[in-house]
Amino acid sequence: AARRIANGAGPGRPGCDAAGTRGRRSGTCGCRQPPRQSRDDFQPGPQDRSRFAAAAGRLIRSFPLRPPSCSNSNIKDINLSQDFSYFYNPKNTIKAGFSVIHHNLTPSTTQGTEVQNFKNSRKALESAIYVNNTYKPSDKFSFDYGVRMSSYTLLGGDTYNIYKENIKIDSIVIASGKLGKTYTNVEPRLSMNYRLNTSSSIKLGYARNTQSLHLLSNSTSGNPTDSWIGNSYNIKPEIADQISIGLSKNLNDNKYEFNIEGYYKSMKNQ
């Protein structure tokens, strides 16, 4: 299984409706086994090629090579967020805000003709606060700098196993209504933009992003599946540090814009 990280992931991510709720579903679901028929049901009828082909197709479909299965996982979120802007003076604009997300994650379930496995959903509380300042000392220079602090807390209602070198060494039961382990991260951001002339500029930037929801992909089985899971006592938040540099150029009296950018990224807890 491999985990993937998305840039900028965290509280306040898009995809919520007006009520602040969101549902995500991944996997291959919606499968249904066709009804079985016996070979005695096969009646080609008169020597009509179209009728014979249709009857033969029904016969082939009535004997599947293997029972179908489907796997699905989902996340239901309740999100509360607020952003503020304060124009301190013509050179400084301060922005701040917070976000709180209640996660309800249902692990993947495998469904077949004989076995059906169901697990309890896991709940967590993800929150963040941030502050950022845009500073323009001149017409050519502009700076954006700030910091974001995020946390992810396990909520009660499930049992968490602890592993060391792939060997189970302990289990922790978090009762419903109780709090479990909390992960806290500090995410600094810094960017600079310098105008070379009226149509060109260069930009530099650094940012740290953390992600507490992880996508597990299994592509080795006959039925590939994707499952979303959150942090646990074994799985830590994924951290990405990125440095970027870019060039922007306006063409044809600012009718077109050309951008080129390169970056270096290091990731932890993969």
Side-chain angles (χ1 to χ4, degrees), residues 140 193-203 246-251 254 258:
K140 288 191 173 183
N193 188 293
Y194 176 69
R195 295 185 60 185
L196 301 173
N197 49 51
T198 56
S199 61
S200 303
S201 63
I202 59 174
K203 50 188 176 182
L247 172 66
S248 179
K249 174 71 174 179
N250 293 336
L251 305 173
N254 297 330
F258 172 78

Side-chain angles (χ1 to χ4, degrees), residues 34-39 41-45 50-64:
R36 292 185 176 271
Q37 297 177 351
S38 67
R39 293 185 180 271
D41 295 334
F42 175 58
Q43 298 293 336
S50 62
R51 294 181 59 185
F52 179 84
R58 289 195 299 270
L59 176 63
I60 293 173
R61 288 195 301 271
S62 67
F63 293 93

Side-chain angles (χ1 to χ4, degrees), residues 58-187:
R58 289 195 299 270
L59 176 63
I60 293 173
R61 288 195 301 271
S62 67
F63 293 93
L65 296 179
R66 59 184 179 182
S69 63
C70 64
S71 178
N72 55 82
S73 62
N74 64 75
I75 304 173
K76 295 181 180 179
D77 291 344
I78 301 176
N79 183 15
L80 173 65
S81 62
Q82 182 64 52
D83 299 303
F84 305 93
S85 296
Y86 176 62
F87 298 95
Y88 183 73
N89 56 40
K91 293 184 178 181
N92 292 273
T93 301
I94 301 174
K95 293 183 179 180
F98 69 90
S99 177
V100 179
I101 303 178
H102 180 274
H103 295 295
N104 190 327
L105 299 92
T106 303
S108 61
T109 62
T110 302
Q111 301 174 355
T113 57
E114 296 180 359
V115 179
Q116 293 188 357
N117 242 348
F118 297 94
K119 290 186 176 181
N120 295 329
S121 61
R122 288 185 171 180
K123 300 177 177 62
L125 188 66
E126 187 174 7
S127 58
I129 58 174
Y130 77 92
V131 61
N132 185 85
N133 183 47
T134 300
Y135 175 55
K136 295 182 178 180
S138 66
D139 292 337
K140 288 191 173 183
F141 274 105
S142 66
F143 298 90
D144 276 277
Y145 53 91
V147 64
R148 179 177 183 268
M149 179 174 288
S150 61
S151 68
Y152 188 95
T153 301
L154 306 179
L155 301 182
D158 201 3
T159 301
Y160 292 84
N161 297 325
I162 299 178
Y163 295 86
K164 184 177 182 180
E165 297 180 354
N166 296 325
I167 299 177
K168 180 181 174 180
I169 60 174
D170 197 4
S171 294
I172 296 179
V173 179
I174 306 178
S176 180
K178 300 295 183 179
L179 302 179
K181 187 176 181 61
T182 297
Y183 292 95
T184 303
N185 290 281
V186 178
E187 307 169 29

